[in-house]
Amino acid sequence: MSEEMAVDWEGDIALLRLQRAPVNALDIDYCETVTRELIALAADGRACAAVLTGRGDCFSAGADLKTVPHYDAGEQRTMLRVLNRLFHAAYRLPVPLVAAVNGHAIAGGLVLALAADYRVAVDQNALLGVTEIRVGIPYPVTAIEILKAELRPEEWRKAVLTGDLFGPGEALARGMVDELRPASEVLSRSLEMAAHLAGSPRETYAAVKRQFRAPALARMAAALEGAEPLAQPWIGPETRIRAAEQLEAMSRRGG
């Protein structure tokens, strides 16, 4: 556990809280931190289920646009590897995983929420979407596999190619989340849903989850073993320019 990642317990449900100020952005170190906790949780055997949430008004804003666009070639390869490991670890977690989407879930942040088995999102004052194309960051294999598996074909196609952001109501209509709740109820409802999912026999739940995710998980595993088409440097000068523009736009609107 670190200051940027808290793990608490609600009975036998693990509550994992992203708390890297200010927006739970993902860089190399933070991807590794979250992945370690997910892998440890899978190996521990104590949890009957898990809930993943953020703090404040942000679940996660995805890749850290202040640092990731400036990575050198070696750091880019490392970032690609740790992103793939993070999404793979979340998607293959054997126990039920519920995302308590307490606020903005953008780019890799939304992918991480989509890796959960069920998503409860705040009903207002949040933006959700995958904006990588707008910033000039191609998708790792694991991210594409989760988007393809968890969204309807027409929705993941439009989400990926437009890079648009949506409010909670439209995100619900597009299948990005499963239900909306007031901010004060998101976590409690997520814990309730985690307990409900954990009502099935543990080994059966894990087996069924593996069954319907097997094709995507196999392609993810292949990417981790080297079949990742972005293995060459995948962030260039255009990304740095677009990232700076995105940060400026976020600053103007107060987030």
Side-chain angles (χ1 to χ4, degrees):
M1 189 187 306
S2 75
E3 293 181 358
E4 296 181 337
M5 180 81 189
V7 181
D8 298 309
W9 291 87
E10 296 285 338
D12 52 3
I13 298 175
L15 174 58
L16 288 70
R17 196 183 301 274
L18 306 171
Q19 48 186 33
R20 182 182 183 229
V23 293
N24 300 319
L26 303 172
D27 62 4
I28 290 172
D29 290 341
Y30 200 48
C31 285
E32 291 182 325
T33 294
V34 181
T35 302
R36 277 196 302 271
E37 295 298 344
L38 290 168
I39 292 174
L41 183 66
D44 184 280
R46 285 186 297 162
C48 71
V51 171
L52 179 66
T53 192
R55 71 172 184 181
D57 62 358
C58 195
F59 179 78
S60 173
D64 190 335
L65 297 183
K66 293 181 179 178
T67 60
V68 172
H70 301 282
Y71 281 163
D72 63 25
E75 290 168 323
Q76 288 183 36
R77 287 190 292 270
T78 299
M79 183 65 186
L80 186 61
R81 175 176 56 81
V82 298
L83 271 175
N84 276 329
R85 289 187 70 237
L86 170 60
F87 296 146
H88 182 248
Y91 205 55
R92 72 190 296 267
L93 193 72
V95 298
L97 176 62
V98 176
V101 185
N102 56 293
H104 306 306
I106 298 171
L110 180 59
V111 174
L112 189 56
L114 289 171
D117 305 352
Y118 197 85
R119 302 138 211 149
V120 181
V122 67
D123 63 357
Q124 58 183 340
N125 300 324
L127 294 172
L128 299 90
V130 281
T131 56
E132 281 84 346
I133 198 167
R134 297 279 182 154
V135 184
I137 299 179
Y139 289 87
V141 165
T142 51
I144 283 291
E145 291 298 334
I146 289 171
L147 288 162
K148 289 170 64 176
E150 297 300 322
L151 297 178
R152 298 188 299 272
E154 71 276 15
E155 294 300 345
W156 81 258
R157 171 178 53 82
K158 288 185 285 188
V160 166
L161 294 179
T162 65
D164 288 343
L165 290 171
F166 307 102
E170 191 162 4
L172 177 66
R174 291 172 179 271
M176 293 175 174
V177 297
D178 295 301
E179 62 176 281
L180 303 178
R181 291 286 174 130
S184 61
E185 299 177 12
V186 169
L187 184 55
S188 60
R189 172 56 182 157
S190 297
L191 289 164
E192 179 183 284
M193 193 64 203
H196 175 66
L197 294 176
S200 299
R202 180 179 179 128
E203 293 302 320
T204 303
Y205 189 95
V208 170
K209 191 170 173 177
R210 286 194 303 269
Q211 281 180 311
F212 73 82
R213 290 184 175 177
L217 287 171
R219 288 187 287 270
M220 291 179 180
L224 288 170
E225 292 170 3
E228 168 56 82
L230 298 181
Q232 299 301 316
W234 51 290
I235 297 171
E238 183 183 26
T239 304
R240 298 183 187 92
I241 295 169
R242 293 299 184 92
E245 292 172 349
Q246 185 86 348
L247 286 169
E248 176 62 25
M250 292 170 63
S251 176
R252 287 198 300 270
R253 65 173 181 252

